[in-house]
Amino acid sequence: MTTPARIFSSDNTAGASPEIVEAVTRAAAGQARPYGADDLTADVRRRLCEIFECDVDVLPVSTGSAANALSLAALTPPWGSVLCHRDSHINNDECGAPEFYTAGAKLVPLGGDDAKIDPDELRAAVRHKAGDVHSVEPSVVSLTQATETGAVYTLDEIQALGSLTKEAGLRLHMDGARFAGAVAALGRTPAELTWRAGVDLLSFGATKNGTMTADAIVVFDRSLTPELTFRAKRAGQLAAKMRFHAAQLDAYLTDGLWLRNAAHANVMATRLQDGLKALPEVGLLGVADANVVFCRLPQPVTEGLLADGYVFYHDRWEPGVARFVTSFATTEEDVDGLLRAVGRLTA
C-alpha cells in the first residue's frame, strides 16, 4: 500500500501525463523547422479546429500568464479597460502582467457569487463613462472558466454575458486555465462554450491538466492573429523549438486525454467535497463544479493537517478558509487519506 499524497495546494503540483512525456521524447529525435513551422504545430491547429468546429489559429505559449496578458493586449488599447471578476486570476495573481502588456489598460473588478461576473454589474460597467475622454474606455470582458472558486459558468450564463458584451461593442476573452474541467463538468461542446457564445480569444490551459510547459492561445477572431504573432515574439513566447510545446499539446488532445484527465480531477474533487460535507465543524463554501474545493476549517484542524504534512492554501482569503485542489494525478487513496485526517482532527 502506497502512502497517500498530501499535496492539495494546486493542480500545478502534479507531474505530466505519461503520454505527454513520451510525445516529447519522440519529438527530440531528428530535426524540424523552427518557430512553429513544424508539422506537429500544424497538427495541433488541425486538432483544435476539429475540437472547436471552426477554423482557429493557435499560438502555443509557455505559461497561462502569457496567454492571458497577450490576449488582453490584442483586445484593448492602452486607454481601455478590462472588465473582470474581482476574484479572477488576472486581477489577483498575474503580478500586473495584463497592465504591463496592454501598456496601461485598467482592470475594472466586478462582483458576483462563486467568482462569476454578475450580469447586472456587467450591464452597468460596459457603458460606464463610455466615450468619456477623461476615463478609460470599456473594451473587453474577461471570464474565468472554471472560476477561481471551482464554479463553472453554465452555457446560459456565458451566452447572457456574451450578449451583453457584444451588444455594447466590446470584445470577449476567456481565461481557460481550467477550461477542460469546465467542458467535462458541463457536457457541452467546446464550440458552444466559446465562439458560439461570443468568445474572441481563449487562453487554453493545459499545464494544470497534464502537460509540462505548454498552454495556448486559441484565436476565434482570426483578424487578431497578425498582431498576436508580433506580440508573442516581442514577449519571448515564439519558441525556436516550438515542436516541444506542440508535441505536448498534440498528445494532450489525442484520444480525448485532456477531457479524461479533467473528468478524473473533477471526480476526485466531488469525492472530497462529499466527504467533507459529512464531517462536523467543516463548512463548505460554494460548490465545486470542477476541481477546486473551498471550506472553513477550525484553526486546530488546519494546524493539525499542516503538522501531518498536508500542503494546501489556508487563511489566504480570510481566516479559517482553506482551499484544496485535486488533479489528474490525484487518487481515491489520496482523497480518503485527507478525509481521514480531517475526521480524526474534528472528532
Side-chain angles (χ1 to χ4, degrees), residues 105-164:
K106 184 175 182 178
L107 270 62
V108 176
L110 306 177
D113 295 338
D114 298 319
K116 299 178 183 180
I117 293 176
D118 179 82
D120 290 333
E121 287 203 28
L122 182 62
R123 186 176 290 107
V126 294
R127 292 182 170 80
H128 182 65
K129 293 190 175 181
D132 183 347
V133 73
H134 300 282
S135 181
V136 289
E137 180 75 358
S139 301
V140 57
V141 175
S142 181
L143 307 179
T144 308
Q145 179 73 316
T147 74
E148 291 296 298
T149 65
V152 168
Y153 282 99
T154 66
L155 177 59
D156 288 345
E157 288 171 333
I158 299 170
Q159 290 174 333
L161 295 173
S163 293
L164 287 172

Side-chain angles (χ1 to χ4, degrees), residues 70-199:
L70 292 172
S71 293
L72 294 172
L75 292 172
T76 183
W79 56 88
S81 65
V82 179
L83 308 178
C84 59
H85 196 277
R86 61 173 173 258
D87 293 331
S88 65
H89 201 79
I90 61 171
N91 191 47
N92 293 312
D93 298 283
E94 302 283 27
C95 194
E99 294 92 333
F100 177 79
Y101 280 97
T102 59
K106 184 175 182 178
L107 270 62
V108 176
L110 306 177
D113 295 338
D114 298 319
K116 299 178 183 180
I117 293 176
D118 179 82
D120 290 333
E121 287 203 28
L122 182 62
R123 186 176 290 107
V126 294
R127 292 182 170 80
H128 182 65
K129 293 190 175 181
D132 183 347
V133 73
H134 300 282
S135 181
V136 289
E137 180 75 358
S139 301
V140 57
V141 175
S142 181
L143 307 179
T144 308
Q145 179 73 316
T147 74
E148 291 296 298
T149 65
V152 168
Y153 282 99
T154 66
L155 177 59
D156 288 345
E157 288 171 333
I158 299 170
Q159 290 174 333
L161 295 173
S163 293
L164 287 172
T165 300
K166 296 304 179 179
E167 287 168 6
L170 276 62
R171 311 305 289 270
L172 185 58
H173 165 255
M174 181 173 282
D175 176 357
R178 296 185 175 96
F179 181 71
V183 175
L186 291 170
R188 308 304 296 241
T189 69
E192 289 176 309
L193 298 174
T194 53
W195 64 271
R196 285 182 178 153
V199 175

Side-chain angles (χ1 to χ4, degrees), residues 45 55-59 74 200-201 217-232:
R45 179 179 176 273
D55 283 335
V56 300
D57 288 325
V58 182
L59 285 77
D200 296 297
L201 291 176
I217 300 171
V218 178
V219 186
F220 300 112
D221 181 352
R222 298 176 69 195
S223 69
L224 297 166
T225 301
E227 178 178 345
L228 273 166
T229 57
F230 279 99
R231 287 188 177 276

Side-chain angles (χ1 to χ4, degrees), residues 17-67:
S17 291
E19 298 91 334
I20 289 166
V21 176
E22 292 166 5
V24 171
T25 300
R26 288 194 300 271
Q31 298 190 24
R33 288 175 291 179
Y35 302 112
D38 59 280
D39 292 339
L40 275 172
T41 303
D43 286 343
V44 169
R45 179 179 176 273
R46 282 194 293 270
R47 288 191 190 279
L48 287 169
C49 286
E50 293 172 0
I51 287 169
F52 286 100
E53 305 173 57
C54 68
D55 283 335
V56 300
D57 288 325
V58 182
L59 285 77
V61 293
S62 58
T63 68
S65 293

Side-chain angles (χ1 to χ4, degrees), residues 158 164 213 226 244 273 294-295 319:
I158 299 170
L164 287 172
T213 56
F244 291 110
Q273 180 177 242
F294 275 84
C295 65

